[in-house]
Structure formats: structure tokens, C-alpha cells
Amino acid sequence: MMGDELAAILADNLRGYRKKLRLSQEDLAEHADLHRTYIGTIERCEQLITIGSLAKLANGLKIDPSLLLVRESYKSFRPK
Amino acid sequence: MMGDELAAILADNLRGYRKKLRLSQEDLAEHADLHRTYIGTIERCEQLITIGSLAKLANGLKIDPSLLLVRESYKSFRPK
């Protein structure tokens, strides 16, 4: 798998989990302690982010970081 | 989970998979198209690597990138 492909899996999951939790990019940015425009660039696959940012995103979504890299994992996610 | 904790999980897995596959840092660096000293810095938790490098490491080990972020996943790994 290439980095671009992994970035696309991450982008898809990030948007998927965020929508299931009914969070805007602004909401998630606040929960994850990241900038809103940064969330947007990740969802548009414009960034190869570090695992430090991956940990912050997972914290903001309250999921395990590894799930963000499992293809379409958000599809089996049931928010509480 | 903080970035440092995720880096430690990655470092532990990287060393674990590499040893099970009987690869030196030099071997893995060649398979992953990364520099040997870079592999060493990751295993010593001195880097928050990008998901691009994570994809390269997973390619070199022939495993799914997400496994490198699952705590101690190497323990259930059986090389062919």
C-alpha cells in the first residue's frame, strides 16, 4: 500500500466517523486540539499527517487510532 | 491516547515484527525503501513519523499498516 492510498483510507474514515458523531469540522478540531482548516486538508487527502496528529484525531473521536487506518471501519461504528 | 504513547506502540510493534521475520534494521530499510538510521530512530521513539512512512514500513513487513498501531499486535503474528 502506498502513502497516498493510506491517506485516502484515513480521509474517508475521518469524514465517516465525524458524520456519524454529527460533528462539524469545527467541532472535531476543538475536541482534537487541531485547527479546523487542518481537518479539511486531511479530509481532502492534502496531508500525510504524523501519528501524533493521528492520535489527536482519534482522541477527538474517542476511538482507537488504528481504526482510522482500517478501510471503511466507520461503517461498522455505532455511536453511543 | 497521546502521540508519544502511539509512537511507543509503533516502536514496540516494529521491533517485534522485524525480529519475527528475522530482519535486521538494514534488511527492513531496504525492503521499505527507507534509511537504516531512520528505522533505528523510530524503534527508539525519537520520531513521530508520517502515515506515508507508516505505509512504507508496513510494505516492508508485508502487513496492513493499521496493525503497527494496535498494541502488541506482533505477538499474534505468525510468519509464513
Side-chain angles (χ1 to χ4, degrees), chain A residues 33-44:
Chain A
D33 191 26
L34 292 168
H35 197 279
R36 182 192 62 77
T37 57
Y38 186 61
I39 306 284
T41 61
I42 301 166
E43 291 191 0
R44 290 191 302 276

Side-chain angles (χ1 to χ4, degrees), chain A residues 1 49-51 54 59 69, chain B residues 1 49-51 54 59 69:
Chain A
M1 190 186 296
I49 68 169
T50 67
I51 62 168
L54 192 73
N59 282 343
L69 302 184
Chain B
M1 189 186 299
I49 68 170
T50 66
I51 61 169
L54 192 74
N59 282 344
L69 302 185

